[in-house]
Amino acid sequence: MSTLVSLQPAQAAERLSTYTVIDVRTPGEYATGHLPGAHNVPLDHLQTALPALKAAATRGELLLVCASGARSATACERLTAVDVPAATLAGGTVAWIQQGHPVAHDETTKAAWPMERQVRLAAGALVVAGLALGTRYRPARWLSAAIGSGLVFSAATDTCGMAALLSKLPHNQPRTDDLDATLRALGG
């Protein structure tokens, strides 16, 4: 199995035109700003996109991108496990933007909140609900404890079950025709 190849934003920017850039964030996150020329293939649709990604990899190097680098690293691991070479952008689009590199915007898709912000809203709302309900029904306080424990686990393992659940919501899903068009473009 290959080791994870991680590129710094400056390295990727120097050779951006040589990569097929795959953004594995949700369509709403992608619409907020992405690397120029990036194709949107959400992480939970990676298996469906595998034939198109294999075809694209035969024509050139794949660079996988997400907001922070965590989801794209996961995608790289999945691809390299099936012999599709890919690199990840260290620090994701956050680092890309912080270093002053350009981003493109998808005007056809309504921008959703970034996944990290969606998680903060959901976790905060559940904690407040657990505390509020706990004033009348004491066992409801366990909801707040469970959410807090989940956040600690998320930080310790660099995974997020709540983000995985939220990514399934309709506003975080690609339209079928958009994904199909992307897969046709990648398949050559």
Side-chain angles (χ1 to χ4, degrees), residues 62-159:
L62 298 181
L63 176 63
L64 277 61
V65 180
C66 68
S68 68
R71 284 178 279 178
S72 59
T74 298
C76 279
E77 290 170 0
R78 290 181 188 173
L79 290 177
T80 57
V82 292
D83 297 323
V84 178
T88 184
L89 181 65
T93 55
V94 170
W96 179 266
I97 292 167
Q98 285 175 344
Q99 292 186 18
H101 300 293
V103 291
H105 297 277
D106 183 357
E107 304 301 329
T108 63
T109 304
K110 183 179 179 209
W113 284 357
M115 187 56 64
E116 180 263 338
R117 186 174 179 193
Q118 293 180 49
V119 168
R120 286 192 330 241
L121 174 68
L126 289 170
V127 167
V128 169
L131 291 172
L133 290 171
T135 62
R136 292 289 230 184
Y137 181 66
R138 292 184 61 78
R141 294 180 302 166
W142 285 106
L143 174 62
S144 299
I147 296 301
S149 298
L151 291 171
V152 170
F153 179 79
S154 175
T157 62
D158 198 22
T159 61

Side-chain angles (χ1 to χ4, degrees), residues 165-188:
L165 289 173
L166 291 172
S167 72
K168 305 287 186 211
L169 293 175
H171 69 275
N172 286 324
Q173 292 297 309
R175 294 187 313 236
T176 304
D177 54 336
D178 289 347
L179 184 59
D180 290 344
T182 298
L183 298 181
R184 279 193 303 278
L186 289 171

